[in-house]
Amino acid sequence: MKDVVVAGGTTGMGREIALHYLRAGARVTVIGSTPSRGEDLLAAARELPGTAVFLHADLLSVAENHRVIKELESRYDKLDVLVLAAMVPFVRRRETVDGLEGTFVLYYLSRFILSFGLTELLERGENPIIANLGATGITKGAVNWDDLQFARKYSTVKATISGGRANDLLAVHYLQNHPDGRTKYFGIQPPYTKSGTNHLPQPLRALAKVSAALFAKPAAESVRDTLEVLEAQPAERLILRAVGRPVDPGLKTFDPRAARRLYELTKELI
């Protein structure tokens, strides 16, 4: 029986991945910040053969990420799949309880903490894999090295791009720091997906709804390529896909030197 953890698993593609594994009879823990969405997921899971647990947590907090790790260590002897899907674009700069910028935390730092912190459990899994939903394959922009927390001049777009580039480097420096491990790292750029707009203020919410209705795919459709890779388990440890197509790991966004630099900066932060 597979043991699966999905961070950001109450909506969008994260929810669809969780439901997929529940249909297959897995034990699935879904991490989310909204209890009502967690209850909805648990209600859907009651009709499925797998076992679902909802873990309420605010992944914007460094301490909460560590609490999640401890709870999972008490619940599991191993992990087979860790899915990292939690993400919210903040229209205005959101400073967390740790004094960090919210996009940076959700898009990179939380994923760093969970990836590294759950490695021991993953290494006990049969074919362990970390699936990280982000912007793999997009080369626009770079990490905002001079101001990682956008303390001086915040922009939603620039913060999201910087977080996406940091997320790409996470895949690289995770493997740099676990060269002899068995856990694979799967970086994903999914199709444009309908995943909810309630986090946005008006009029952006209305515009996003119209755009999603016209162009976005349902989450159940968007997730198909990702699930195929998760089931097929390619041989390489660094698996990169953009809208279902392979991505060249030699792209500048996966520069090993930049990955080491970000890793060292991250250690100083936490």
Side-chain angles (χ1 to χ4, degrees), residues 1-266:
M1 181 182 294
K2 284 189 176 182
D3 293 311
V4 179
V5 170
V6 185
T10 60
T11 61
M13 287 183 61
R15 176 185 169 93
E16 291 300 325
I17 293 172
L19 291 173
H20 166 82
Y21 282 109
L22 288 166
R23 293 186 193 102
R27 291 182 291 239
V28 180
T29 295
V30 170
I31 305 164
S33 61
T34 307
S36 60
R37 290 178 177 173
E39 289 300 321
D40 288 344
L41 185 282
L42 293 177
R46 293 187 190 106
E47 307 299 322
L48 302 175
T51 303
V53 173
F54 173 64
L55 181 53
H56 180 218
D58 179 7
L59 296 179
L60 284 166
S61 160
V62 170
E64 279 281 90
N65 280 275
H66 288 295
R67 177 182 68 83
V68 164
I69 291 168
K70 288 181 179 179
E71 292 209 22
L72 293 172
E73 287 174 336
S74 70
R75 184 172 296 148
Y76 291 109
D77 294 321
K78 67 173 180 67
L79 277 182
D80 299 289
V81 182
L82 170 63
V83 179
L84 305 170
M87 179 55 191
V88 176
F90 297 106
V91 177
R92 295 179 180 84
R93 188 178 185 275
R94 170 79 176 272
E95 187 165 301
T96 71
V97 293
D98 304 295
L100 303 172
E101 190 274 316
T103 303
F104 174 82
V105 174
L106 276 188
Y107 212 168
Y108 170 72
L109 190 60
S110 168
R111 301 177 187 216
F112 174 98
I113 295 170
L114 295 176
S115 297
F116 279 75
L118 293 171
T119 293
E120 187 173 339
L121 285 179
L122 284 160
E123 287 295 308
R124 298 177 196 153
E126 185 175 351
N127 292 298
I129 188 168
I130 298 170
N132 189 336
L133 277 68
T136 298
I138 293 176
T139 57
K140 180 180 179 180
V143 174
N144 193 29
W145 296 107
D146 294 334
D147 185 14
L148 280 177
Q149 308 308 322
F150 283 87
R152 293 189 290 274
K153 188 176 181 180
Y154 181 77
S155 157
T156 304
V157 172
K158 290 180 180 179
T160 302
I161 290 173
S162 178
R165 300 294 74 77
N167 199 32
D168 290 336
L169 295 177
L170 168 57
V172 178
H173 72 57
Y174 178 85
L175 296 182
Q176 286 175 339
N177 284 279
H178 302 91
D180 300 319
R182 298 168 50 248
T183 303
K184 296 175 181 179
Y185 215 100
F186 177 22
I188 307 153
Q189 180 201 150
Y192 180 30
T193 305
K194 295 177 183 177
S195 57
T197 58
N198 290 336
H199 59 280
L200 295 173
Q202 296 291 10
L204 292 179
R205 185 185 306 175
L207 291 171
K209 284 184 177 180
V210 171
S211 178
L214 291 173
F215 305 112
K217 291 185 177 183
E221 183 179 343
S222 292
V223 81
R224 289 174 187 165
D225 292 330
T226 296
L227 292 174
E228 286 180 7
V229 173
L230 287 170
E231 296 297 336
Q233 287 275 353
E236 64 267 26
R237 284 192 68 200
L238 178 59
I239 306 164
L240 304 172
R241 298 289 186 274
V243 197
R245 297 181 178 180
V247 172
D248 180 4
L251 291 175
K252 64 180 182 179
T253 46
F254 305 106
D255 179 12
R257 292 169 298 180
R260 292 189 191 96
R261 179 183 179 186
L262 184 60
Y263 175 74
E264 294 301 326
L265 288 172
T266 306

